[in-house]
Amino acid sequence: MLQYRDDGVVLRTQKLGEADRIVTLLCRRGGRVRAVAKGVRRTKSRFGGRLEPFTYVDVLVHPGRTLDVITQAEVIRPYGAGIAGDYARYTAGTAILETAERLTPVEKEPALRQFLLLIGALRALGETGPAASAESAESTASTGREPRLVLDAYLLRSLAVAGYAPALEECARCGGSSGRPLVAFAVAAGGMVCASCRPTGAATPSPRTVELMLALLRGNWDEAMSSDRRHRVECSGLVAAHLQWHLEHSIRSLRHVERA
């Protein structure tokens, strides 16, 4: 089989044997790919440092029987350089990488929109400079924004792409056709619910918190950045709960993320 070239972000690495690593990438064309990088743990490796988490790379890959093999890697952008030195950015970035892997469960299934959201989020966390345009579909946020807000925006948007967007403007159960006000957030129901549909144990978020979630989902950063800390904290809790319910798996990295 012929070699193929793609560009992608390194999501995770794991040791293999004495000198190799298995590298998991989310690629522009090929979706989530797992491939072996041979000899990268040796000090004289030609491209070991290029295949670290957060790095956006161009790779040449040779198909294998069980795992493909990376034969060449060139760095396009080392997002980790602007992320690893700051605890808040690093923990938010780690949660983003883990979520990107969980939301692309099928290997080599194209996931362009998830890839673009990932690039936008890492750009926001890892680069300096003026705020990016809120209209950009590829950008999750600008780097001057709080890491936890960038993370929450990424989680909401990536969930929406996967078909799990929370209902925030209509009742998740009855559709709100009767115009009843939404009074609670029920994770199992899929979002906000009216009083008639409210299940036991549902959270009662502030209306401002729901407005913040909508702003992050839509990319309205002027509104999001003007939100109060208590609403950011409440928003983060709801987003994390919604994410982990639909993934049916905990995102371990979220435990270390600093609250807004």
Side-chain angles (χ1 to χ4, degrees), residues 25 40 141 153 236:
L25 306 102
V40 294
S236 293

Side-chain angles (χ1 to χ4, degrees), residues 49-105:
R50 304 173 193 173
L51 294 170
E52 295 294 333
F54 300 111
T55 309
Y56 180 28
V57 291
D58 178 276
V59 290
L60 187 63
V61 184
H62 181 79
R65 290 185 179 179
T66 54
L67 287 171
D68 295 350
V69 178
I70 298 172
T71 58
Q72 181 179 322
E74 297 295 336
V75 175
I76 297 174
R77 189 153 298 176
Y79 289 116
I83 293 174
D86 180 82
Y87 181 80
R89 291 185 183 209
Y90 177 76
T91 53
T94 301
I96 286 171
L97 295 186
E98 186 178 351
T99 301
E101 183 173 3
R102 295 291 179 187
L103 286 174
T104 52

Side-chain angles (χ1 to χ4, degrees), residues 192-215:
M192 295 298 293
V193 293
C194 64
S196 299
C197 297
R198 177 177 183 169
T200 303
T204 308
S206 164
R208 292 293 181 87
T209 298
V210 180
E211 290 171 6
L212 173 58
M213 294 176 72
L214 275 169

Side-chain angles (χ1 to χ4, degrees), residues 4-42:
Y4 63 91
R5 183 180 294 276
D6 209 341
D7 58 294
V9 174
V10 178
L11 303 179
R12 181 165 60 97
T13 65
Q14 56 194 112
K15 294 179 181 179
L16 179 66
E18 295 184 358
D20 305 340
R21 278 200 182 107
I22 297 175
V23 180
T24 302
L25 306 102
L26 181 57
C27 296
R28 181 182 297 272
R29 291 177 291 278
R32 183 171 61 83
V33 173
R34 293 172 72 242
V36 176
K38 293 184 177 294
V40 294
R41 290 161 54 203
R42 296 193 182 103

Side-chain angles (χ1 to χ4, degrees), residues 123-124 127-134 136 139 141-145 221-222 225:
R123 182 188 301 130
E127 293 184 347
T128 58
S133 171
S136 173
S139 177
S142 70
T143 195
R145 293 157 186 161
W221 283 96
D222 288 338
M225 291 298 289

